[in-house]
Amino acid sequence: MAFTNWARNQSGTPAETRTPSSVEDVALAVREAAESGRRVRMVGTGHSFTGVALTDGIMLRPHGLTGIRSITKDNGSSSVCVLAGTPLSVLNEELDRRGLALANMGDITAQTVAGAIQTGTHGTGRDTGGLADQVLKLEMVLADGSVVTAAPGEDLFDAARVGLGALGVLTAVTLRVEPSFLLHNRRQAMPLSEILDRLDAMTSANEHLDFFWLPHTDACLVKTNNRHPGPARPPAALKHWLDNVFLENTLFGALCGVGGRFPAAIPRLNAVSAAFLGDSESVNTSYKIFTSVRDVRFLEMEYAVPRERLGQALRETRDLVERMDWKITFPIEVRVTPPSEAWLSTAYGRPSAYIACHVYRPTPNPAYFEGVEEIMTRLDGRPHWGKLHTRDAAYLGKVYPRFADFVTLRDRLDPARLFANPYLDTVLGA
């Protein structure tokens, strides 16, 4: 049965598809793959734009490994052990029902826990990093079929938190959680020129900063999220639908469709989008603020650059789009995170800023991605593992201080490359 990702730009047909319902089922599949000379991969829900999930061997689907295994509360700290195939949307609701929450997360909730962690899903945060930085333990099946638990202090822990599925198959993840909290969300229209002058002040003043620049305009939508004591003031149902469903999906999708047929009209269409940007605010449960609806299909490339180079990266990207006269409908998104200790985290060892470029799926623009990628790599950028890029092991080994250590550990744990695929051959070396 063929597998196709969400963006419909990656597909493959494995020799066999299984849906394990226990860690023992996963271990059996790994052993049988080794014995038969096949490779094996666990996929998520297909929200990566790269071929990181593909395999020509045994594909393990995550649907049978879902739910919370246990919750632990100890001296004021809490953790949840969740099965690897659990969608983030389900985890959010189950935690909220128990009065708990993740400290930070990205805006897509269709991903599985393991898939989001393995590809380095990060969100935005001044003080709190992505999901990998909230991991306390990992349960995984190694290439020899053994089941191990990786914990802090072990190389396997820091390597496997963003492990690309190259070191083993994750079956359960223990995450740090905390009591449920409210976030004060503010949405403001601001000129890009003003933001560029205030980047440092804006990143230091807000717990979570996320902004979107509309190419061919000076308009940005700035979203800031900060903790709030309450009471909750959720947006009215009509206002939530207008902002999150109609404007950001229905109307935006229609404008993308028109722009796809009439590219010359895109600057004017973006000006229309900019005119709809308005200020609003609400106070709501954290995960309802963090997450967004994304119905318009797109292709995406995202790079993490040292935070001090964010302004330069944005200015060069803006100038490049204007100089090349590309017609770009999708906004460019900017987020920030603190340093991470996970070896292959895009934020390893440095405060980072993320610049994400998108194009409407029916109208890809490889030259746009190529041009922006040249800027990002010149600034020591690290590509998101689940988003489009052209970097290989030779480049990545220069921008990740622990890259060689990761490859050495992989050589020891999976010398026969049971978990390999063409994408890993490129980014980690064959």
Side-chain angles (χ1 to χ4, degrees):
M1 181 178 179
F3 170 83
T4 303
N5 68 341
W6 176 84
R8 299 172 184 163
N9 71 311
Q10 300 287 345
S11 62
T13 303
E16 181 183 353
T17 301
R18 299 186 188 184
T19 305
S21 59
S22 67
V23 64
E24 292 78 15
D25 288 347
V26 174
L28 177 63
V30 169
R31 290 194 297 268
E32 291 183 350
E35 291 167 0
S36 62
R38 293 180 291 178
R39 298 189 288 191
V40 61
R41 300 283 291 171
M42 174 84 88
V43 302
T45 51
H47 273 265
S48 290
F49 299 86
T50 65
V52 63
L54 301 181
T55 185
D56 57 4
I58 299 176
M59 176 173 283
L60 304 179
R61 302 305 301 263
H63 316 303
L65 288 171
T66 62
I68 289 177
R69 181 184 285 175
S70 64
I71 292 179
T72 302
K73 297 184 179 181
D74 183 27
N75 296 327
S77 62
S78 300
S79 63
V80 57
C81 181
V82 59
L83 295 177
T86 307
L88 290 171
S89 58
V90 173
L91 176 60
N92 284 334
E93 292 171 358
E94 289 297 314
L95 289 176
D96 186 56
R97 193 163 60 84
R98 295 165 169 84
L100 298 169
L102 294 167
N104 193 12
M105 60 181 303
D107 67 348
I108 302 297
T109 60
Q111 297 166 293
T112 63
V113 169
I117 290 169
Q118 288 294 275
T119 53
T121 294
H122 53 81
T124 186
R126 180 190 63 200
D127 309 310
T128 306
L131 287 176
D133 299 298
Q134 298 168 67
V135 172
L136 298 175
K137 290 181 183 178
L138 295 170
E139 178 187 271
M140 56 194 301
V141 177
L142 302 182
D144 61 2
S146 63
V147 180
V148 300
T149 298
E154 303 170 6
D155 281 352
L156 181 58
F157 177 74
D158 286 330
R161 279 190 284 165
V162 183
L164 313 181
L167 303 178
V169 179
L170 264 63
T171 51
V173 178
T174 300
L175 292 159
R176 181 186 302 108
V177 292
E178 58 183 86
S180 297
F181 59 95
L182 299 173
L183 285 174
H184 179 201
N185 170 252
R186 295 189 65 189
R187 299 158 61 101
Q188 297 174 278
M190 290 180 61
L192 176 63
S193 52
E194 180 180 344
I195 292 173
L196 289 172
D197 290 336
R198 297 178 52 196
L199 275 173
D200 289 343
M202 292 176 67
T203 55
S204 62
N206 294 285
E207 293 177 76
H208 307 277
L209 171 69
D210 186 5
F211 67 88
F212 301 78
W213 167 57
L214 275 169
H216 317 297
T217 78
D218 194 37
C220 291
L221 176 63
V222 179
K223 298 181 181 181
T224 58
N225 299 321
N226 293 284
R227 297 203 181 206
H228 195 277
R233 300 195 308 273
L238 178 61
K239 176 64 174 173
H240 181 269
W241 175 85
L242 181 65
D243 287 342
N244 295 278
V245 178
F246 180 73
L247 293 180
E248 293 187 4
N249 287 278
T250 307
L251 177 61
F252 180 65
L255 293 177
C256 286
V258 173
R261 294 185 61 190
F262 306 103
I266 288 175
R268 282 174 289 165
L269 295 173
N270 283 9
V272 170
S273 295
F276 278 99
L277 298 180
D279 296 357
S280 64
E281 59 182 310
S282 63
V283 177
N284 210 349
T285 305
S286 59
Y287 80 88
K288 295 178 181 179
I289 294 289
F290 283 136
T291 59
S292 303
V293 178
R294 293 285 181 263
D295 289 336
V296 182
R297 293 184 192 268
F298 54 85
L299 300 173
E300 182 177 0
M301 180 184 73
E302 182 177 49
Y303 265 79
V305 297
R307 195 181 299 178
E308 66 271 16
R309 294 183 171 179
L310 172 58
Q312 179 184 353
L314 281 173
R315 289 183 175 92
E316 290 195 28
T317 298
R318 177 194 58 191
D319 294 346
L320 176 69
V321 171
E322 292 177 357
R323 184 170 67 251
M324 300 304 295
D325 198 30
W326 291 318
K327 301 298 187 288
I328 310 299
T329 51
F330 262 81
I332 291 176
E333 183 178 15
V334 178
R335 294 175 286 181
V336 296
T337 62
S340 172
E341 295 181 352
W343 290 358
L344 294 190
S345 167
T346 46
Y348 178 82
R350 67 190 193 193
S352 298
Y354 294 82
I355 297 177
C357 299
H358 313 69
V359 294
Y360 186 45
R361 175 66 186 90
T363 56
N365 188 339
Y368 171 44
F369 282 2
E370 180 182 349
V372 175
E373 189 172 39
E374 189 279 328
I375 294 171
M376 301 304 158
T377 55
R378 191 161 28 81
L379 299 176
D380 294 327
R382 298 168 180 165
H384 190 299
W385 299 106
K387 298 176 184 179
L388 294 171
H389 66 91
T390 65
R391 299 301 90 189
D392 60 13
Y395 173 85
L396 296 166
K398 297 175 183 178
V399 294
Y400 282 97
R402 301 301 298 269
F403 187 86
D405 295 324
F406 185 96
V407 172
T408 297
L409 183 60
R410 183 192 185 208
D411 289 340
R412 178 166 65 83
L413 295 179
D414 187 18
R417 297 295 187 262
L418 186 69
F419 303 122
N421 65 10
Y423 178 78
L424 295 186
D425 289 346
T426 297
V427 299
L428 298 179

